[in-house]
Amino acid sequence: MFPRRAPGHRLATAAVALGLLCSLNTSAWAGARDPAHGSARITRVPSAAGSETPLSGFAIRSTADVGDSAAAVSSPGYPAKGWYPAGPRSTVLAALLADGVYDDPFVSTNLQKIPKSLFQVPWWYRSDFTVADPAHRTYLDFSGVISAADVYVNGRQVATTADVTGAYTRHELDVTSLVKDGTNTVAFRIQPNNPNKNLTMGWLDWLQPPPDQNMGIVRDVLVRRGGPVALRDAHVVTKLAVPSLETADLTVKAQARNDSDAPVTAEVSGTVAGVTLTRSVELAAHQTRTVTFAPTDTPGLHLTSPKVWWPAGMGGQPLYDLDLTASVGGTASDTAHESFGIRDVRAPLNSDGARQYSINGRRLLIKGGGWSPDEFLRWDRAYVEDRLKYAVDLGLNAIRLEGHIEPDEFFDLADRLGVLTLPGWECCDKWEGQTNPGESGEKWTAADYRVAQASMAAEAARLRDHPSVASFLIGSDAAPDATIEKNYLDALDAADWTVPVVPAASDKSTPQLGSSGMKMTGPYDWVPPGYWYAKREGGATGFNSETSAGPDIPTLDTLRRMMTPAELDTLWKNPDAKQYHRSPSATFGTLKVYDAALTGRYGAPKSLTDYVRKAQLAQYENVRAQYEAYERHQTDASKPSTGVVYWMFNSGWTSLHWQLMDRYLDQGGAYFGAKKANEPLHVQYSYDDRSVAVVNNRHTPVSGLTARATLFNPDGTQKYDRTVTGVSVQGDGAHSTALALPASVSGLASTYLARLTLTDADGREVSRNVYWLSTRSDTLDWAKTDWWHTPTTGYADLTGLSSMAQVPVTATASTTEADGMSTTTVTVRNTGTGKTPSLLTDVHLVDANGRPVLPVRWSDNAVSLWPGESATLTATYRTADLHGSSPQVRVSGWNALDRTVPAGAPEPSVPLSSR
C-alpha cells in the first residue's frame, strides 16, 4: 500500500514484507499523565544509526469529546487535559480498564455493562517524542492498527485511512522533513473496528466479544533513526541436510535502500554464525538493491556440524545471530539484527491424505492447543511465558494461532522454549468473507485483496526466521479462492518462506496447494471418552485442527472469583440456564449437554462443591482419552493419527468453555488429564478394545518393561490382577500392546477402578495411570452426528464412585528458594486402614489466606493412592507470587478428607559445592 504524498515532504510506506527489525524492548509504560497537560510520557529518541525506539505510550480520547482540529491535536504543546493514558500497545477499552473507568470485566456480567456506543466513533491516539539531531533520517514504523488510521506528525497529515488499514499491514513513513529539534508529536485517528467489514481481528464463540472490538494500536510504534542508506528486510534462509543433520547452508539477504537524493556507495558488513560478511554496494539516488551472501561466494556459510533446533523434548533450542551494518564514508548509516534457528520442517500428505509433519527428518504427532490472547489484547510477557511453559509442562509440542497472531516476543519465547507454532488467518469474519458464504464476513473489495496480500507479506517477513514457526494456514474453516491463494503465495515466495503452507484448517483444497490434509469435524461439545478411539469424525485419525469435549469447568477457587453467588447457584442447579461465561453462541450458550452427561454418568450434583468435583473427574478422563487415542494411533499402518489441537489451550477471559487451564492459570482435571496422557513413556487403557498399551514418545526404543493391570471395586476390593514382563516398544510415538483386560470379571461392580503401572528393567515405576470405568458402556448415536458433537443415548454407570468412603490423606511439605524461584516438596500418603483408595487426590499450593499461588508447575498431581501408598510431588513457582506469605499445601480430592498443612517459609537452597 502506498500512501499519498503530503505536500512539501517525502513519504515512504512499506506495507509489504519488511525484515523483522522491530525492537524487542518491552519496557512498560507506567501510564502516568504529564502533570502539566495530561499528555502521555515523552519518548526520548536517540540519534544512533539503526536505533529503534518504541513510543512509550499514548494519550487517548474519543473524537466525540475533542473539538479541535487534527492539526492542533497533532502539534507539540497541545493541552491534552482529561485524556486517558494508554500503554504503548493498547486498545481503547484496555486503556479505560487500566484507568479504572469500568469494573473488572472478567467478573460476572460487568463486560455487558460497558456501552458499545462509545466505540462507534474514531478515537485519537497522540504521543510526543524528542530528537536531538533532526539531520538524521527519521521514520515511523508500525503495524497492529485496528482497524484503520489517519496519521499526523507535527500538525501535518502523513497517511490516510486508505493507506493505514488492516491489523497486520506494516507501514514505514519517512517523516524526516517534518521532525524538528526538541519535542515532536505523532497522532493517530483510529477508526472503529468491525471484524465483518475489516481485515483485522475478531472473536467468534469462545468468549463474549469486547465492546470496542479491539480498536486501537496493539503493536509497537517505532521511531527509527539512520543515515542516507537504510537496511531493511534482513533475514537468513537456512537449508539443513536431512536426515544426516551434518551440514547446513545459510543464505543472508537484506535490502539496502538509498533514501538520499545523491548516489552513494554503501559498505554492508557484519557477522552471522561466526562468519564475517562484507560487501560494497553502489546505489543510485533512491535506489534499493538486494544484498545477498551465499555459500557460493562466502564459503563459511556452508556450516559443518550445525547446532540444530528441536521442539521441546526432542532436543535443544540453539539460536544463531545475524548482525549487519550499512556504512557510508566510514560512518554507520543503519544496522540490522536477527535471531534464527536451523531446522527442517516438512508436512506432506500421507497415503490417507492426512498432513504429516516431520522436523529434522523425524516424524512427529502434532499435539497442540488453540491459543487465545487476552480478550483486550493486553500484552503481558510474563503471563504469555507462563502459559507457554504450561504447554511444555503438559507435554504439548504445538500451539495453533487462528488469527490473533501475537507480537514478536511471543515467537521469541516459543523459539526459546521449543514450542512449535501454527499461525494462520482466522475464520468466519471478513478474512473468509469472499469464500465462506455461511458466515457473516462481507465480500471483498479490490482494496481488500491488496490489504490481505500486504498482511501476508508483513507477517511472512516477521515470522520466517523463527524456528518455532512450523507452517502458515492461509485458510481456516474455508480455503481461499484461486486469486487470494495466488496473492498469498506470491507474498510468501517473495519473503523466502521455507516451511509448509496449508490451504485450510478444514478438509478443503486450493488450486495450487491442493488438499489441506486437515479435518475440522469437531466435536466441540461433550462426548464420552470412548469417542476418541473411533477412526471416524473427530476420532483419532488424520489431523484434527480443533476439537475437544466442550466445557471445562474451572476450580472452585476460580469460579468464586469470576461469578456471583447467585450465578454459582444457577451453575449447578439449572442446566438449561444461559451461561454468560460459556459462549455468546446459541449452540454453546448453556451447559445442557455437558450437565446431562455429568448427571447420567456420575449422578445428579448435590451442591456446587459436588458439581465441581464431578466436573474435574469428567474433564480429567475426557482430555486424557483425547490425547491418548491420538497417541496410540500415530504409528498405525492404516489411517494413523497425525495431529490433534485441543480446542482450546486457554481462554482470553474467565470462562466455562474450552480451556486446559483457566484465566488465572489454575489447574484442574483437564490440565492434569492432558499432562498424564502426554508423559514421555506412558501406559494407557484403550476404551475401544480394553487393551493396555505402552506408548513411547521418546526417540530411543525401550525394552525390559513390566506392565501390570489391577481392577478394583470402589471399596478397594481387588478383583483382577495381571502382570506382563519383557515389554518392549520402539521410539518416536510407537506403541506396544502389553495385555488386554477381560470382557468380564467375576464379582466386578458396575463401576470399577483400573490401576495400570509400568516399571523399567530396574524395577522403577515410570508410569502410573488410574481409570474409573463401567461394565456399561456409553452409547453414541453416530447417525445424528452434527458439526459440534455426536449425541450420547446411553451413559456409562460411574455412580458407584459416590459410595467410596472418605479416606485420610496426610501431607508433609517443605520449601526451598533460589534465584527468585521456590520449590515446595510435598509427600502425600493414604493412611487409611481399609482398602479404599484416595481417587484423584489434588494438591494445591496456597498462601496463608488459602488463595492459590499461581502459576505453578507440578511434577505430578491429581494422584490416586491406595492405603499405605505415598507420592512425592514438587511444585515450582516464583517466590514473589507468595506476596510475602508462607506457602501452605491444601489436599483434597474425590474422597480425600480435606486438609491444609504448612509448607515452611522459603529457605535458600544450599549449592552442591557448599555441601
Side-chain angles (χ1 to χ4, degrees):
M1 301 174 58
F2 299 94
R4 303 166 189 154
R5 290 187 177 183
H9 70 282
R10 187 171 283 111
L11 176 68
T13 295
V16 294
L18 298 177
L20 179 59
L21 300 173
C22 295
S23 167
L24 300 183
N25 183 345
T26 58
S27 58
W29 179 64
R33 294 173 177 156
D34 186 297
H37 54 77
S39 182
R41 180 177 296 168
I42 296 175
T43 304
R44 289 173 174 78
V45 177
S47 299
S51 65
E52 302 171 345
T53 307
L55 295 178
S56 57
F58 297 92
I60 72 169
R61 190 76 175 181
S62 169
T63 58
D65 300 325
V66 178
D68 298 310
S69 67
V73 168
S74 61
S75 293
Y78 176 76
K81 292 182 179 178
W83 287 45
Y84 299 100
R89 310 171 184 176
S90 180
T91 66
V92 172
L93 185 51
L96 298 182
L97 291 170
D99 209 35
V101 176
Y102 298 108
D103 292 335
D104 187 346
F106 291 151
V107 174
S108 186
T109 56
N110 288 346
L111 183 65
Q112 202 172 36
K113 300 171 186 176
I114 301 173
K116 296 179 181 178
S117 59
L118 295 175
F119 315 107
Q120 301 303 309
V121 298
W123 279 65
W124 278 112
Y125 276 58
R126 74 180 308 280
S127 187
D128 292 333
F129 65 93
T130 62
V131 299
D133 185 358
H136 287 285
R137 302 202 72 82
T138 304
Y139 311 86
L140 293 179
D141 184 343
F142 58 91
S143 65
V145 173
I146 302 177
S147 66
D150 296 298
V151 186
Y152 298 82
V153 173
N154 291 344
R156 298 286 297 277
Q157 186 167 13
V158 295
T160 70
T161 56
D163 308 319
V164 179
T165 183
Y168 298 102
T169 55
R170 187 169 177 182
H171 309 274
E172 183 181 40
L173 309 180
D174 186 340
V175 295
T176 304
S177 65
L178 295 178
V179 170
K180 60 184 181 180
D181 187 12
T183 301
N184 298 269
T185 299
V186 57
F188 294 80
R189 185 164 53 201
I190 306 291
Q191 295 299 310
N193 184 38
N194 183 333
N196 289 321
K197 297 178 181 291
N198 308 118
L199 290 169
T200 53
M201 302 182 193
W203 304 90
L204 189 60
D205 53 8
W206 69 87
L207 52 70
Q208 300 290 347
D212 71 338
Q213 295 288 2
N214 295 135
M215 70 181 295
I217 303 175
V218 298
R219 293 183 182 170
D220 286 338
V221 176
L222 300 174
V223 181
R224 304 179 68 168
R225 308 300 306 284
V229 173
L231 276 179
R232 298 293 185 263
D233 202 33
H235 61 284
V236 181
V237 181
T238 66
K239 186 176 182 181
L240 177 66
V242 174
S244 72
L245 312 185
E246 293 177 354
T247 62
D249 287 338
L250 309 183
T251 301
V252 176
K253 293 185 178 183
Q255 299 287 327
R257 188 183 70 208
N258 180 8
D259 285 334
S260 73
D261 295 326
V264 297
T265 298
E267 296 295 327
V268 178
S269 61
T271 60
V272 62
V275 179
T276 300
L277 309 173
T278 184
R279 184 70 47 79
S280 181
V281 184
E282 294 184 358
L283 296 167
H286 305 293
Q287 182 185 14
T288 300
R289 291 182 60 185
T290 300
V291 182
T292 302
F293 302 91
T296 52
D297 54 54
T298 310
L301 295 181
H302 177 74
L303 305 184
T304 57
S305 301
K307 295 180 288 186
V308 178
W309 188 95
W310 292 92
M314 297 180 72
Q317 292 80 46
L319 297 173
Y320 288 90
D321 291 310
L322 166 68
D323 287 285
L324 293 176
T325 299
S327 300
V328 177
T331 300
S333 179
D334 201 3
T335 63
H337 172 80
E338 284 291 299
S339 292
F340 65 97
I342 297 175
R343 51 85 178 100
D344 178 272
V345 181
R346 302 180 190 182
L349 303 185
N350 66 14
S351 59
D352 296 307
R355 193 161 295 274
Q356 175 67 70
Y357 280 78
S358 67
I359 186 158
N360 304 331
R362 284 166 54 182
R363 187 174 69 175
L364 79 161
L365 171 72
I366 294 292
K367 296 184 292 185
W371 181 265
S372 175
D374 172 76
E375 173 168 5
F376 309 108
L377 303 185
R378 295 172 292 191
W379 175 256
D380 184 329
R381 186 186 186 281
Y383 183 55
V384 170
E385 183 173 7
D386 288 336
R387 283 181 286 167
L388 288 175
K389 285 182 176 178
Y390 269 10
V392 175
D393 181 56
L394 287 171
L396 303 184
N397 57 27
I399 289 293
R400 180 182 167 214
L401 297 93
E402 187 203 19
H404 301 97
I405 304 175
E406 292 277 36
D408 299 332
E409 296 96 322
F410 176 91
F411 298 96
D412 292 330
L413 287 167
D415 292 344
R416 182 166 59 83
L417 295 172
V419 179
L420 295 173
T421 61
L422 307 174
W425 304 127
E426 63 194 58
C427 84
C428 311
D429 53 22
K430 184 60 176 276
W431 283 101
E432 294 186 345
Q434 193 65 20
T435 57
N436 194 346
E439 297 296 339
S440 54
E442 292 186 355
K443 294 287 187 181
W444 286 16
T445 65
D448 292 322
Y449 284 90
R450 294 192 295 273
V451 171
Q453 186 171 18
S455 300
M456 185 73 265
E459 289 302 285
R462 192 172 71 93
L463 300 177
R464 63 192 163 195
D465 276 341
H466 288 283
S468 60
V469 176
S471 60
F472 198 95
L473 282 73
I474 58 173
S476 181
D477 291 31
D481 62 23
T483 302
I484 299 172
E485 179 195 32
K486 182 180 184 304
N487 290 346
Y488 285 156
L489 294 181
D490 287 349
L492 288 160
D493 288 344
D496 292 322
W497 189 260
T498 60
V499 296
V501 181
V502 181
S506 58
D507 184 13
K508 300 291 174 62
S509 61
T510 52
Q512 291 190 56
L513 295 173
S515 172
S516 71
M518 313 285 267
K519 67 178 183 178
M520 193 186 283
T521 48
Y524 298 93
D525 210 331
W526 191 87
V527 291
Y531 171 97
W532 302 106
Y533 282 86
K535 291 196 174 186
R536 57 181 296 176
E537 274 75 32
T541 181
F543 195 122
N544 199 339
S545 67
E546 49 181 66
T547 188
S548 75
D552 283 299
I553 305 301
T555 63
L556 197 54
D557 294 297
T558 290
L559 286 171
R560 286 173 171 155
R561 291 180 71 174
M562 62 186 265
M563 299 171 76
T564 66
E567 290 166 342
L568 292 174
D569 209 38
T570 299
L571 176 64
W572 73 272
K573 288 182 178 179
N574 189 355
D576 293 324
K578 288 193 174 183
Q579 295 293 340
Y580 186 70
H581 285 266
R582 188 177 180 201
S583 170
S585 162
T587 303
F588 304 122
T590 74
L591 291 164
K592 187 174 182 178
V593 174
Y594 177 86
D595 287 351
L598 213 62
T599 295
R601 301 175 93 239
Y602 290 97
K606 300 179 179 64
S607 64
L608 175 64
T609 300
D610 187 46
Y611 178 81
V612 174
R613 73 185 190 122
K614 286 174 176 172
Q616 302 314 313
L617 251 68
Q619 288 154 199
Y620 186 103
E621 63 165 347
N622 218 314
V623 174
R624 175 178 61 180
Q626 177 175 332
Y627 282 113
E628 284 182 338
Y630 273 84
E631 288 202 331
R632 196 196 72 175
H633 289 176
Q634 63 182 299
T635 56
D636 287 359
S638 175
K639 300 180 71 175
S641 55
T642 61
V644 60
V645 176
Y646 188 87
W647 207 250
M648 295 181 64
F649 176 73
N650 68 297
S651 179
W653 82 321
T654 43
S655 180
L656 304 170
H657 193 44
W658 294 346
Q659 56 191 351
L660 291 177
M661 80 287 303
D662 64 42
R663 164 67 193 178
Y664 305 113
L665 302 184
D666 205 355
Q667 306 145 319
Y671 186 97
F672 292 115
K675 182 176 173 70
K676 175 59 63 177
N678 293 318
E679 53 187 8
L681 186 60
H682 180 64
V683 62
Q684 66 183 61
Y685 169 78
S686 306
Y687 284 86
D688 58 340
D689 59 8
R690 300 185 303 280
S691 66
V692 174
V694 178
V695 178
N696 184 12
N697 289 306
R698 298 167 176 163
H699 182 53
T700 306
V702 184
S703 61
L705 301 171
T706 297
R708 182 183 180 188
T710 313
L711 305 184
F712 302 86
N713 282 342
D715 64 0
T717 304
Q718 182 175 308
K719 291 298 179 181
Y720 175 85
D721 190 29
R722 184 182 173 194
T723 299
V724 176
T725 61
V727 177
S728 60
V729 58
Q730 296 299 307
D732 293 331
H735 77 271
S736 177
T737 300
L739 60 101
L741 298 179
S744 63
V745 174
S746 178
L748 196 64
S750 59
T751 302
Y752 63 96
L753 302 175
R755 184 183 66 195
L756 310 180
T757 60
L758 187 70
T759 53
D760 65 14
D762 296 322
R764 292 187 297 259
E765 187 173 280
V766 293
S767 180
R768 177 186 176 98
N769 214 344
V770 175
Y771 295 79
W772 38 105
L773 303 168
S774 175
T775 56
R776 186 175 74 199
S777 299
D778 296 291
T779 306
L780 287 156
D781 188 353
W782 291 103
K784 293 185 179 178
T785 297
D786 51 35
W787 68 269
W788 52 281
H789 83 316
T790 296
T792 305
T793 56
Y795 296 108
D797 178 14
L798 300 176
T799 58
L801 297 180
S802 296
S803 68
M804 295 179 69
Q806 285 197 311
V807 296
V809 177
T810 62
T812 57
S814 62
T815 301
T816 59
E817 191 272 342
D819 300 324
M821 298 297 294
S822 286
T823 299
T824 295
T825 302
V826 186
T827 298
V828 287
R829 182 182 300 274
N830 181 341
T831 57
T833 57
K835 298 179 180 179
T836 306
S838 169
L839 181 63
L840 216 67
T841 305
D842 176 80
V843 185
H844 250 70
L845 189 76
V846 297
D847 63 17
N849 295 311
R851 296 172 300 206
V853 177
L854 299 168
V856 60
R857 290 188 300 280
W858 288 94
S859 59
D860 195 5
N861 210 323
V863 295
S864 297
L865 303 170
W866 269 251
E869 289 186 335
S870 65
T872 298
L873 320 173
T874 59
T876 306
Y877 53 97
R878 289 185 291 263
T879 306
D881 289 334
L882 287 168
H883 303 293
S885 175
S886 293
Q888 300 186 90
V889 170
R890 185 180 69 207
V891 180
S892 60
W894 177 255
N895 62 323
L897 292 168
D898 293 4
R899 66 176 65 206
T900 301
V901 300
E907 297 181 0
S909 60
V910 180
L912 289 174
S913 59
S914 303
R915 293 178 184 172

